[in-house]
Structures are given as structure tokens and as C-alpha cells.
Amino acid sequence: MRDDHEELLARNPALLSRCFWHLARKYGETAGGQAPSLPIFLVGAGLLFHRDTLDKVHRMNFDSRFLKVVAERPDLLGGLQSRVEGAFGASLLALQLGVASELLQRDGGRGFPTFRALGGADLPVSLREPSGSGEMIAAAKRLGAWFALDPFEVIQRQLVIEF
């Protein structure tokens, strides 16, 4: 894990867009084709921006849920609300970049917009991650699977965040 993890993400919307693609892809696979809504990406960025959380999440099983993270490391919830709020601008920029580069498709509907991953089973070769960010991709995939397993209201309560 890099020492400048948070700064790397904050200054690299393309990297966060790629993470969001993996999150959306895994969410869709787990939720039977449904696309994740905007709050999922905002919370995902707040979790991905935190090095300790990323380190914990990328090592966990896909079958685990947030409740296991909360039970094992309740300290990771400290400051999550402010991290989600602080990641808002970077998240919107990453989503905009993902839509503009056709990694993600924005879908309308009632409530928040949703974003689905476009393309095949993996990113095009030119957009794949270098070997140094495998933890981020693994964590984004797990977050996508976990977000799809429970209604967002349950996740909000478990993570003690508000919208």
C-alpha cells in the first residue's frame, strides 16, 4: 500500500473512474443486472479514500458484509461521514469522466441516477490498472458485491452515515 494513497486518489479521477467501473460491474453481477445509484459511489469513494479501510476491505471475502467490517474494525467508521462528504467532488468528477469515456452509462429514473459498467468482463487493455493498484480494484469489487447484498438504508445504518 502506498503512503500517499489518499492523495493519489484525490488527484487522479481516472483511477477513481476505473475503481467505480469495477464497483458497478460487481454490483450488477451480484444484484441481477441492477445498476448502483449515486449514493453507492459516494460512500464507495469515502471508503476507498481511506487507506486503513482499503487495507481491511481488499483482504476480505466477497461473501462477507459490512457488518463483519464494523464488528472487526469499528474504528474505521470514525470520520466516515466527513470522508464521504469530502469525496463528493472527486466522486462526481470520476463519474463524469467514466460516462464521458464510456466506461459507465448514466441511467435516469426515479430518485438518484444510477450508473452501470459498460463493456466486457474487463476494462480495455489501455485502461487496466498497473500492478500497484490491485488492492484498490479488489476493494472496489468487494464494495460492489457488498452494496448489492443489502438495501442502501441498511448499509447507511451499519456505517452510521446520513444523506
Side-chain angles (χ1 to χ4, degrees):
M1 186 70 56
R2 293 176 55 136
D3 290 335
D4 63 344
H5 171 74
E6 290 87 354
E7 184 173 341
L8 172 71
L9 267 176
R11 300 188 185 278
N12 192 346
L15 180 56
L16 189 55
S17 288
R18 291 187 294 241
C19 289
F20 281 171
W21 183 88
H22 285 285
L23 186 151
R25 180 94 180 151
K26 194 63 175 176
Y27 185 101
E29 290 173 4
T30 307
Q34 292 181 341
S37 64
L38 178 62
I40 299 287
F41 293 98
L42 298 176
V43 173
L47 294 166
L48 291 171
F49 272 31
H50 191 245
R51 183 178 19 177
D52 291 338
T53 302
L54 181 73
D55 191 42
K56 174 66 176 167
V57 168
H58 95 271
R59 291 188 174 124
M60 295 183 70
N61 293 324
F62 278 102
D63 296 334
S64 300
R65 295 187 183 206
F66 279 115
L67 195 54
K68 183 171 171 75
V69 175
V70 172
E72 290 181 359
R73 292 286 309 273
D75 60 304
L76 296 179
L77 297 182
L80 180 58
Q81 181 74 42
S82 64
R83 290 196 314 265
V84 169
E85 292 170 7
F88 183 79
S91 298
L92 293 183
L93 185 59
L95 287 169
Q96 183 179 21
L97 181 62
V99 170
S101 63
E102 297 181 353
L103 290 177
L104 300 169
Q105 174 184 317
R106 182 189 182 278
D107 295 332
R110 296 183 351 191
F112 290 106
T114 60
F115 297 86
R116 74 179 61 253
L118 295 176
D122 206 356
L123 287 168
V125 175
S126 60
L127 294 174
R128 289 188 190 153
E129 290 297 312
S131 60
S133 31
E135 296 94 359
M136 292 172 55
I137 298 303
K141 288 178 180 179
R142 280 161 183 75
L143 291 175
W146 295 348
F147 282 133
L149 292 173
D150 291 316
F152 187 69
E153 295 76 22
V154 172
I155 294 168
Q156 276 185 272
R157 282 192 303 274
Q158 290 175 342
L159 296 178
V160 193
I161 53 174
E162 294 182 11
F163 275 88

